[in-house]
């Protein structure tokens, strides 16, 4: 019986170091590793991810799938239950080595009906909901922190990986013919850090006489459900439709908000699309929802 190890990180700036440590401590014998390309989104359904698909194709009945923690594989409750159904269908065991789900037999089924045990389903749904709540709170705190820092004139972002004399050494070595890859290895940093240090020396650098505006970075905004419902019934372009389709619905009492990640220009486009909600023909709740969305766009997307 084979031991199949699955690993994934959400962005190309993250590493699998922590996952490697957890899995190494587990003492898995003869692991067969399937690792997604860096930056494979957690929003992509696990059954649609390339490497997890390869794992399922490779697996045989009786094999065990190992992951460091549940959220390396899945996020929402629906994803978890879908994956458990497939593992049950293919008669594969699931072993989670760290986090809230570690030590639980999530593949346990009723001996007569073959359905997932109700107690297991309850634990899965409860822990998944708790995980989503934790991430939502972290995002909200991050937004608040960024706005507070911006009000004080502080600029966010990571500290430079190279500073002072190291930058001078890197620039001199680059001018001397050393490659970016070699400099990254020598200084123990990413290639991106080296490119930042020598940005004005690169062949593609544009001089100040002909500046190019910096690309917009995606931001995440909560769109009121009434606005989202209106936009879904509107004729949108492909980018606008994709932004809505990839949004994460978050329940708010009897309604919901749609957490949408897009560049600021796209948020402004979506705001323009729902201009009619502020007109005379709209109901008060729609006008209020649009104005809430406008305030959020104005605060973050300008």
């Amino acid at each position: 019986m084979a031991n199949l190890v699955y690993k994934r990180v959400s962005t190309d700036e993250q590493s699998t170091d922590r996952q490697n440590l957890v899995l190494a401590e587990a003492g898995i014998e003869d692991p067969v590793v399937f690792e997604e390309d860096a930056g494979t989104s957690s929003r992509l359904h696990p059954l649609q991810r390339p490497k997890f698909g390869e794992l399922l194709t490779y697996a045989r009945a009786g094999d065990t799938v190992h992951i460091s923690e549940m959220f390396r594989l899945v996020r929402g409750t629906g994803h978890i239950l879908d994956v458990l159904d497939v593992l049950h269908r293919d008669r594969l065991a699931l072993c989670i080595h760290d986090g809230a789900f570690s030590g639980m037999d999530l593949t346990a089924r009723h001996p007569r009906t073959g359905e997932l045990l109700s107690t297991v389903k309850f634990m899965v749904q409860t822990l998944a909901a708790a995980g989503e709540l934790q991430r939502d709170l972290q995002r909200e705190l991050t937004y608040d922190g960024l706005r507070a820092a911006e009000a004080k004139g502080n600029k966010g972002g990571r500290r430079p990986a190279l500073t002072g004399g190291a930058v001078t050494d890197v620039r001199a070595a680059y001018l001397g013919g050393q490659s970016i890859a070699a400099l990254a290895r020598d200084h123990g940093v990413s290639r991106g850090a080296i490119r930042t240090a020598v940005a004005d020396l690169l062949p593609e650098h544009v001089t100040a006489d002909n500046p190019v505006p910096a690309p917009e970075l995606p931001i995440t905004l909560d769109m009121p459900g009434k606005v989202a419902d209106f936009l879904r019934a509107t004729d949108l372009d492909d980018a606008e439709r994709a932004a809505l389709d990839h949004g994460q619905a978050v329940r708010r009492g009897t309604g919901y908000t749609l957490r949408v990640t897009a560049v600021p220009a796209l948020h402004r486009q979506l705001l323009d699309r729902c201009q009619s909600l502020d007109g005379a023909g709209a109901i008060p709740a729609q006008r209020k929802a649009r104005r809430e969305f406008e305030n959020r766009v104005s605060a973050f997307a300008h």
Side-chain angles (χ1 to χ4, degrees), residues 207-238:
T207 64
D209 295 333
N210 186 24
V212 175
E216 291 188 316
L217 297 178
I219 60 174
T220 302
L221 296 179
D222 283 351
M223 176 186 294
K226 293 188 183 299
V227 173
D229 292 340
F230 173 83
L231 289 173
R232 285 195 173 102
T234 303
D235 185 18
L236 304 177
D237 64 28
D238 291 343

Side-chain angles (χ1 to χ4, degrees), residues 61-171:
D63 290 352
T64 300
V65 178
H66 296 266
I67 52 179
S68 61
E69 58 184 342
M70 176 60 87
F71 295 119
R72 290 299 96 208
L73 176 59
V74 294
R75 286 290 185 183
T77 307
H79 288 188
I80 296 177
L81 297 178
D82 289 345
V83 169
L84 292 180
D85 282 341
V86 170
L87 296 179
H88 174 68
R89 180 199 68 193
D90 296 345
R91 291 182 288 170
L92 304 175
L94 176 64
C95 188
I96 306 165
H97 294 280
D98 194 21
F101 292 92
S102 60
M104 294 176 57
D105 182 6
L106 299 181
T107 56
R109 300 272 166 166
H110 193 282
R112 289 187 294 278
T113 66
E115 295 181 352
L116 195 66
L117 288 178
S118 57
T119 52
V120 172
K121 185 179 293 187
F122 173 77
M123 289 299 297
V124 166
Q125 293 171 334
T126 301
L127 291 173
E132 290 184 15
L133 174 62
Q134 181 185 26
R135 291 192 300 277
D136 290 345
L137 291 174
Q138 286 175 337
R139 288 193 188 98
E140 291 173 4
L141 290 172
T142 299
Y143 295 154
D144 291 343
L146 288 173
R147 293 188 68 180
E150 185 177 320
K152 293 180 179 179
N154 296 330
K155 183 179 179 181
R158 296 185 175 184
R159 295 180 182 275
L162 294 169
T163 58
V167 173
T168 303
D169 294 343
V170 164
R171 291 171 63 85

